[in-house]
Amino acid sequence: MSNATHLRKLSHTFGFWCTTGDPAVVDAAASVGPDFICIDAQHGIDLGRLNASVFTVMASYGVAGLVRVDSVNLTPIGRALDLGAAGIIVPLVETAEDAAAAVHATRHAPRGGRSFGMQTRRIGPFDEDAFVIIQVETAGAVENIEAIAAVDGVDGLYIGPADLGLGVGGVPAPDVNEVFDGTHPNAKLLGDAFKAVVSAATDNGIAPGLHCGDGASAAKAFGEGFTFAAVGSDLGLISAGLRRHLDIARE
């Protein structure tokens, strides 16, 4: 299908997080050669404003396009796949039933509830070809992680560290380096949660993933047993790059 097949092979897979959904940004990012680009339709662009051309651009570079939808819901999941996404990342999942509902939303009848969309510019992946990645970001998800990982059709587990930090200890952890080096106030709690996710994914032959803000933290994640990670985001890299060059110029 694309480079995202590395997810199912459990090999190291590197991605890029895109909150704007802008075709020019996607083109520039895809040209560098990440394995996947995830369009954030939960906290970023509204799914209704997302243009199918971004997935055509990704496919032309051999990059898999994923979409983080806003919830376990048939309509946004089906719409993302109809636009041409190779798969979905589903937030707010706390139970095996939630995970099964996410898989159900990617399958056509009689195995699922996905509607067959004829009106879109491009039909996305059909049933089992669609990746289903469950985002782990609550204490409930960690508690039920073995059952979630065992759901048929789930391809991966993806930790959202900011929300997971809030969920297990009341302090967000947007910088996973603080978890790995022990400087986060709840580093032990989060470290144990990270290990539980990696263990559950490995035991069930699916991919454990971690949201990272840079390549250095992604490299550390792979050393901890994770097999896929975002290594940056559009707005994050713009801000960091501009700040660095402004500092240089002002000096």
Side-chain angles (χ1 to χ4, degrees):
M1 180 199 300
S2 65
N3 286 351
T5 55
H6 293 317
L7 283 168
R8 291 195 175 113
K9 295 177 181 177
L10 302 182
S11 57
H12 287 175
T13 304
F14 305 88
F16 175 71
W17 203 260
C18 184
T19 58
T20 64
D22 184 274
V25 172
V26 170
D27 195 345
S31 71
V32 178
D35 296 305
F36 69 89
I37 293 175
C38 182
I39 305 294
D40 188 353
Q42 181 189 20
H43 293 300
I45 187 172
D46 183 90
L47 190 58
R49 294 175 50 236
L50 188 59
N51 194 304
S53 66
V54 299
F55 299 107
T56 303
V57 167
M58 290 186 225
S60 72
Y61 288 105
V63 176
L66 305 177
V67 172
R68 178 167 73 170
V69 294
D70 61 1
S71 63
V72 181
N73 186 291
L74 281 168
T75 300
I77 291 173
R79 185 172 294 166
L81 296 176
D82 285 347
L83 286 169
I88 54 168
I89 295 179
V90 187
L92 308 174
V93 170
E94 294 212 78
T95 65
E97 290 74 20
D98 290 339
V103 174
H104 177 84
T106 69
R107 289 5 182 192
H108 293 92
R111 291 171 294 171
R114 180 183 171 191
S115 177
F116 192 88
M118 293 290 292
Q119 76 283 8
T120 54
R121 289 178 53 195
R122 173 184 173 189
I123 299 298
F126 197 87
D127 290 358
E128 281 81 4
D129 288 335
F131 287 90
V132 179
I133 300 169
I134 300 302
Q135 188 156 9
V136 180
E137 52 189 346
T138 67
V142 175
E143 182 179 347
N144 297 315
I145 199 64
E146 289 289 346
I148 290 171
V151 171
D152 186 36
V154 169
D155 295 294
L157 305 174
Y158 189 66
I159 292 177
D163 279 327
L164 186 59
L166 287 170
V168 303
V171 181
D175 183 358
V176 295
N177 288 298
E178 294 180 350
V179 179
F180 293 136
D181 65 22
T183 58
H184 188 276
N186 293 313
K188 177 64 166 60
L189 280 173
L190 282 166
D192 289 344
F194 285 12
K195 290 175 183 177
V197 171
V198 170
S199 177
T202 303
D203 289 347
N204 287 278
I206 63 176
L210 179 65
H211 191 75
C212 298
D214 53 52
S217 56
K220 291 179 183 177
F222 292 131
E224 297 294 327
F226 292 95
T227 63
F228 75 104
V231 299
S233 67
D234 49 0
L235 298 185
L237 291 174
I238 289 171
S239 297
L242 178 59
R243 182 180 299 110
R244 183 173 66 254
H245 288 289
L246 282 174
D247 288 343
I248 292 170
R250 286 166 175 159
E251 287 174 0

